Amino acid sequence: MTDHDVTQDDDLADFTVRSISLLGLARRVYVSGDGPGVIVMHEMPGISPHVARFARWVRDRGMTVYLPSLFGTDGALGDADSGAQVFRRLCVAKEFRALGGGESSPITTWLMALARSAHRECGGTGVGAVGMCFTGNFAITMMLESAVVAPVACQPSLPLDEPAALEISDAELTAVKERLDRDGLTVLAYRFEGDKICTRARFDAYAQALGDSFVSRELPDTAANRDAPPFFAAHVPYPHSVVTVHLIDREGEPTASARDEILDFLGHRLHDDANSDRLTDAHANRPSPDRNLL
């Protein structure tokens, strides 16, 4: 696995910084790798060293990572105060629906356009979409875009004020369910059992709406890394971020297994059979993920 120090700010020097203009809106996107595209959407408070580490893991498995800058300071570890300021701004930002369920955040329209663009640039069977926390729900809404074939929702946390609500309209949710059934696709979703933001009630609501196509994983709180950076120590003092700050990067750890399952899921979905040997030798002999995911 790629080795980067996640306790310091990350200069993201191994990514190409692009300004990508879609639907009349230009955003900064960090791109790296070769192969089919994966949109990695960062969590609060921004593109942290932990998020960049996860993006590199995806890249190193033979995929092109698109890491759009959605909020916060790119590459910063983030302190408690600056992270809180980002959070407060997002709660009233028109592009995000932090509060109140029943409707997707407007930013998902731009992210779906990014997925279409990534598919045109990279080819392959389609594009992956990985959302985390504030963006976790977006990976599910993005199934409305036909280019997206491998959605992963890590601790989807919106709306913040309604633990059992979903950040998507009924009509959109119905369309997502029809797409999943028609194309034989699945959504992978992860949370810690004691997560106070991404609740069991929310997972139950997704499971009721999407049926067997919603494949959920709940990790024990004891599996979380307790050495959290300042923003999380101050504002998220419980297990939450499965593949970033609360991941323990050690073989046999539940969070490392969850990360590897996601990488396998993306690889199997996005690499056609002719390109399956692009997976790294270190993972070539690993057991395949549950066939229900493929």
Side-chain angles (χ1 to χ4, degrees):
M1 289 292 178
T2 301
D3 183 22
H4 278 79
D5 185 0
V6 294
T7 66
Q8 304 292 326
D9 289 352
D10 192 322
D11 62 11
L12 306 173
D14 52 332
F15 292 82
T16 298
V17 187
R18 295 172 56 185
S19 177
I20 297 181
S21 183
L22 300 163
L23 307 178
L25 175 65
R27 283 190 173 276
R28 189 165 55 254
V29 181
Y30 294 83
V31 182
S32 186
D34 182 48
V38 178
I39 314 300
V40 174
M41 296 164 283
H42 61 84
E43 62 191 355
M44 290 286 299
I47 301 178
S48 69
H50 293 86
V51 170
R53 178 179 65 172
F54 176 79
R56 292 181 177 107
W57 285 332
V58 174
R59 175 197 66 193
D60 293 348
R61 290 291 295 271
M63 289 167 271
T64 303
V65 171
Y66 291 75
L67 182 57
S69 177
L70 303 175
F71 46 79
T73 301
D74 301 341
L77 186 63
D79 58 45
D81 290 341
S82 63
Q85 291 174 11
V86 172
F87 174 77
R88 286 193 291 269
R89 287 196 297 270
L90 289 186
C91 284
V92 296
K94 64 180 182 180
E95 290 182 298
F96 298 88
R97 286 186 55 84
L99 307 174
E103 187 176 351
S104 295
S105 288
I107 188 63
T108 55
T109 302
W110 191 91
L111 291 166
M112 285 187 276
L114 178 62
R116 288 193 297 274
S117 176
H119 192 205
R120 287 194 299 270
E121 291 181 353
C122 300
T125 60
V127 172
V130 182
M132 309 172 182
C133 182
F134 214 86
T135 67
N137 308 73
F138 299 174
I140 297 176
T141 298
M142 288 173 69
M143 289 303 294
L144 297 170
E145 164 52 48
S146 61
V148 179
V149 298
V152 181
C154 295
Q155 66 275 354
S157 301
L158 301 184
L160 297 171
D161 57 339
E162 298 182 42
L166 303 181
E167 197 235 17
I168 188 171
S169 71
D170 290 342
E172 289 173 325
L173 195 58
T174 297
V176 168
K177 175 68 162 78
E178 291 174 350
R179 165 101 197 279
L180 293 169
D181 291 345
R182 181 180 65 251
D183 295 344
L185 300 174
T186 52
V187 175
L188 263 184
Y190 297 84
R191 66 177 295 271
F192 283 103
E193 291 177 342
D195 195 334
K196 296 178 174 59
I197 305 175
C198 177
T199 63
R200 167 69 69 81
R202 177 161 295 131
F203 267 37
D204 288 346
Y206 272 126
Q208 183 176 1
L210 301 179
D212 292 341
S213 297
F214 182 74
V215 181
S216 63
R217 307 288 193 236
E218 294 187 299
L219 281 65
D221 292 351
T222 54
N225 178 16
R226 298 293 179 170
D227 186 17
F231 171 79
F232 284 84
H235 302 295
V236 193
Y238 46 81
H240 177 64
S241 295
V242 174
V243 297
T244 56
V245 301
H246 293 124
L247 179 143
I248 300 174
D249 187 14
R250 189 166 58 237
E251 186 174 355
E253 290 289 342
T255 50
S257 296
R259 174 210 47 212
D260 291 344
E261 182 179 51
I262 292 169
L263 297 178
D264 283 344
F265 173 69
L266 293 170
H268 280 280
R269 273 291 179 201
L270 302 180
H271 287 285
D272 59 29
D273 291 340
N275 292 327
S276 60
D277 59 350
R278 296 177 69 173
L279 298 179
T280 60
D281 291 339
H283 292 81
N285 295 319
R286 282 171 36 82
S288 295
D290 188 331
R291 293 299 300 176
N292 290 332
L293 306 181
L294 306 179

